[in-house]
Amino acid sequence: MSAEATNPEAHPEARPELRRRGRTRLDLRRLGRAALLGPTSRDRLPDAIGHVAEAHRAHHPDADLSVLRRAYLLAETSHRGQMRKSGEPYITHPLAVTLILAELGAETTTLTASLLHDTVEDTDVTLDQVRTEFGDEVCFIVDGVTKVEKIDYGAAAEPETFRKMLVATGNDVRVMSIKLADRLHNMRTLGVMRPEKQARIAKVTRDVLIPLAERLGVQALKTELEDLVFAILHPEEYESTRALIAAHAGERDPLPAIADSVRGVLREAGIAAEVQVRPRHFVSVHRIARTRGELRGSDFGRILVLVGENADCYAVLGELHTCFTPVVSEFKDFIATPKFNLYQSLHTAVATPEGYVAEVIVRTRQMHRVAEAGVVALGNPYATATADAATDPDEERVDPTRPGWLSRLLDWQQSAPDPDTFWTVLRAELAQDREITVFRADGGTLGLPAGASCIDAAYAQHGAAAHGCIGARVNGRLTSLSSLLSDGDTVQLLLAQDASSGPAVEWLDHARTPAARIAISSWLEAHPDRAMAPTSAARAPLSVVGARGGGGNAVADLPDATVRLAGCCTPVPPDAVAGFLVRGGAVTVHRIHCAAVAQMRAVGRTSVAVHWRATADCRVTLRAESFGRPHLLADLTEAIAREGVEVVSATVEPPVEQRVRHSYTLQLPDAAGLPALMRAMRDVPGVYDVSRV
């Protein structure tokens, strides 16, 4: 039971300046009296939920309110006799939670479950009763909230409890919506708790629930929770910020005048728009003050412009940047590239002739609704799901709106080796405030946190099979696995065919996602010989040398001259070649387009005519670029041998960022077989390029 209740006026968190403007607040005493009067006649809603119905109808004019009436009657009769610590009837708590969700635009099913969210845990009502009276969907949500409510956060906020909460939430995001509204109401009424308990609850809210609210896009709840936590955990900074806001209230606010100017500009341009001044909440003012130092009047709020269509947003932006002086560094386009939590808007800042800089947010009305309410604004995400999906509370349902980050959390939490690791990684994951989308080679997409590398993409796409990843192509170009990915990149991951391949210890330095780090660490623990193996970076190049020839089948028109094929360009028949006399009376043969030819001529080397013998054999030096893996050298030499080619010498350079360079001097029985040889070498797993030196 979430009975963390108190007198709503006994704590600074309940002060009017913290309340979001325009939000209806509950009069708990009036609600308590209405609840004590008991049920009303069957032909109308009880007075106690009249305001809930009004807020709900504002978003859903055609909603059927009869189910809310039945849910309230069941909740009121079930909780009758239970009191909050403030002395109010307990029914005021589910009413307050339901009103918060109704104001955000939650659909009827969510509101019904919200009214009943404590009944199964705290009263004699059973899940079967809820299912019989209100259907499988409401039962499923109430059961999920009950599982979350049963979590004992404990004095140290045990990590395993959050794993349970995550699993309960993952099956229906509406569970977390109700939990967040529940926590908000309890935080509003937290004053009679002991200071140490207030601090414990505030820390849990700060570490997990506020990041979850951010990721679910429920900004209206997130900002108020931030302010309430701020007041408890940082009372001195809170009082300082409150004094700043109070001092600003007595000064002339330049934002209304700037908003009037914006209205005039848009009116002249023929753009229908609603322009508002949005005051910053306490934590936002505190952050701005720390960043900018002394605050000016325009720093205490932002201008919000609401329009009808996406195209209108860019039309507004054009007018603002034409009629005012734009601050280019402040422009952000979250419409073309939405945030991971569904947020879309254009952000900019403009300077006025008076020297003020005003931040401006431009969005459509639908974007505004989603920005405030997040997943709550999506309605019922399971409306098209199969009817039997909710019959089994333990069965994970397909959620068409589940954010990618939530799916990732649900996946990796199953493989987290211990609660402490889970807790550490959970907090790190929730701290990520931006997500990118990359495209797979097969046309699918991957959602990853900002700063993710190709290693993270490999494990997100292939799971354990990513242990054998040897490289990647990003936007068509070969790159190392440590390369960072950007939003919109196309990534093709290259997997080794060798089942014994595994990740390198260095991969942990480049893995950002929990799934990748846990998988790599688990593999290294299971293969300690590989994990402890020294890196090959300190090894000298490996060379294999055979009998060396001279000029191959090149012949110089100079009697008794020694002919050598130049190592810089390794000419082979039927290349056009040029010869030059060098020290010792030898003739070096270069391809005609080799850069050394111009140098030879520039220093006055004697040119000697050369030609190829009629025999078809030749010598050539090839360079193979590859990703490091076990047995690569053996596989390459085997591929060369299958083509009937003799290895004269071979050099393998130390790997750099998992890349290895091999150089081979080869004797071919027939120059015509060179293209086939190069293709055979490229077909070796891990080799991404073969070229003549």
Side-chain angles (χ1 to χ4, degrees), residues 212 242 348 376 413 478 498 559 586 648:
L212 282 173
R242 188 174 67 84
T348 189
V376 178
Q413 65 85 21
L478 287 157
D498 187 356
V648 177

Side-chain angles (χ1 to χ4, degrees), residues 542-599:
L542 172 64
S543 298
V544 180
V545 182
R548 291 183 179 271
N553 51 5
V555 179
D557 292 344
L558 189 65
D560 301 324
T562 301
V563 178
R564 292 200 301 259
L565 298 179
C568 56
C569 57
T570 60
V572 298
D575 291 342
V577 291
F580 294 91
L581 190 64
V582 295
R583 291 172 184 169
V587 174
T588 59
V589 180
H590 297 262
R591 282 190 275 173
I592 197 68
H593 298 297
C594 177
V597 171
Q599 295 174 0

